[in-house]
Amino acid sequence: MTVPPCDLLRGQFDLTWALFEYHLDRLTPEDFLWEPAPHCWTMHPSAEGAWVPDWADSEPEPVPVPTIGWLSWHIGWWWGVTLDHLRGDPPRDRADVTWPGPGKPTTDWLRDLRRAWLTALADLTDTDLAATAPFPWPDDPRYTVADMLAWANAELMKNAAEIGQLRLLRGAVGP
């Protein structure tokens, strides 16, 4: 039996999202900025009231432990930019991705990204999936749009697992 590529990618996404929803439904505002270790990347309020992520252009050694807040911003950044590429829109800059803040604003933001993602996926054809991916491998003919979608699914799986693990760890050790 052959499964159409779009159906396979959509099934993989749906499974990943269902696992992520388990944690999204249980997150509290206090979970987002909890720092599990002294060496963390998190979100900081700016003087203007916006949230700013910790960032380095080259990955530091050792790699900082991200907070749930940072991970949720990171999902919004890469997923939003992937959507920009998928739609043919100019990709937004990392600094232009605004994190909504701890709790419901962020879970709503992520769910909105999911809806936009599903809308974009619904219009894809096999020809679209076979086209060269514009992101995250800029126009490398070895990678197709299907590869880009599989990469996005893998990133979501990884980040959802990290968020889930941090949520469980915070619950186990207390605030």
Side-chain angles (χ1 to χ4, degrees):
M1 178 174 94
T2 303
V3 177
C6 214
D7 291 349
L8 180 63
L9 290 164
R10 173 63 193 270
Q12 183 186 46
F13 172 78
D14 288 342
L15 173 62
T16 301
W17 188 263
L19 297 170
F20 192 29
E21 271 295 339
Y22 176 83
H23 295 293
L24 287 178
D25 284 344
R26 289 160 178 80
L27 287 172
T28 67
E30 296 76 25
D31 290 332
F32 284 82
L33 299 177
W34 176 70
E35 296 185 6
H39 186 56
C40 281
W41 270 359
T42 192
M43 304 299 294
H44 304 276
S46 70
E48 297 79 31
W51 289 93
V52 179
D54 288 323
W55 186 259
D57 288 326
S58 58
E59 195 165 276
E61 183 59 43
V63 175
V65 177
T67 63
I68 290 173
W70 191 92
L71 287 165
S72 61
W73 164 81
H74 187 249
I75 292 170
W77 170 45
W78 65 255
W79 207 359
V81 170
T82 305
L83 265 167
D84 292 341
H85 284 284
L86 193 57
R87 295 174 180 154
D89 296 337
R92 66 197 89 182
D93 185 73
R94 173 186 51 79
D96 295 331
V97 177
T98 304
W99 186 65
K104 187 170 173 19
T106 290
T107 57
D108 287 349
W109 178 55
L110 295 172
R111 288 178 175 125
D112 287 345
L113 280 168
R114 174 188 175 268
R115 283 187 283 281
W117 186 250
L118 291 176
T119 298
L121 294 182
D123 296 332
L124 294 177
T125 66
D126 287 347
T127 301
D128 296 328
L129 292 175
T132 300
F135 181 76
W137 318 276
D139 301 314
D140 184 334
R142 294 176 299 166
Y143 299 102
T144 65
V145 170
D147 291 310
M148 180 177 75
L149 300 181
W151 168 82
N153 284 343
E155 279 290 323
L156 183 61
M157 282 181 236
K158 177 185 79 69
N159 290 151
E162 291 169 328
I163 286 171
Q165 189 64 39
L166 284 168
R167 187 187 71 76
L168 293 170
L169 183 61
R170 182 172 185 271
V173 300

